[in-house]
Amino acid sequence: MNADLPELVRVAHERAEEVGFDYSCDPDVGQLLAVLAARVPEGGRILEIGTGLGARVGWLVSGLGPRTDVTVTTIESDPERAGLAAQGWPEFVDPRVGDAAVELAHGSGVILATAR
């Protein structure tokens, strides 16, 4: 795995390789997500749908840098993947298991990234 990847992204890719998950975020897309995350206003919220094993979340967190004022909520419908991906995040990351439509109905945040 590329040593130039942010640590959380690298760890997510390693988890994906271990279990044969082939849908991790491409680094070019991840870099765009990091740039977008950096522009989230103070106290903002990011809703990421389809956590997979956490590569997109890693890019979003890396884009925030040292900021801790943004809440990143990530939703994964598959309980097994969600369990694997829920490890090692900063406190401002809120990993959830469930149906994204339910979360959207409750106004959880801004959609910045979605699963393909």
Side-chain angles (χ1 to χ4, degrees), residues 37-53:
R39 300 295 299 161
V40 171
E42 185 176 326
R45 298 180 300 167
I46 299 170
L47 174 60
E48 194 265 340
I49 301 172
T51 309
L53 292 177

Side-chain angles (χ1 to χ4, degrees), residues 6-113:
E7 178 68 13
L8 292 172
V9 175
R10 187 186 57 73
V11 169
H13 278 280
E14 288 173 358
R15 278 193 296 253
E17 285 180 24
E18 287 174 12
V19 298
F21 183 76
D22 296 328
Y23 302 104
S24 291
C25 183
D26 179 77
D28 290 336
V29 173
Q31 290 174 0
L32 174 61
L33 292 174
V35 168
L36 293 172
R39 300 295 299 161
V40 171
E42 185 176 326
R45 298 180 300 167
I46 299 170
L47 174 60
E48 194 265 340
I49 301 172
T51 309
L53 292 177
R56 279 187 310 273
V57 178
W59 282 109
L60 292 167
V61 169
S62 75
L64 292 171
R67 294 176 59 186
T68 60
D69 63 294
V70 174
T71 301
V72 178
T73 302
T74 181
I75 308 165
E76 175 56 52
S77 62
D78 181 274
E80 186 175 338
R81 278 196 302 263
L84 291 170
Q87 306 164 19
W89 300 112
E91 285 189 29
F92 61 86
V93 175
D94 178 15
R96 299 185 186 185
V97 181
D99 184 336
V102 172
E103 296 297 326
L104 289 173
H106 290 90
S108 291
V110 176
I111 300 175
L112 180 58

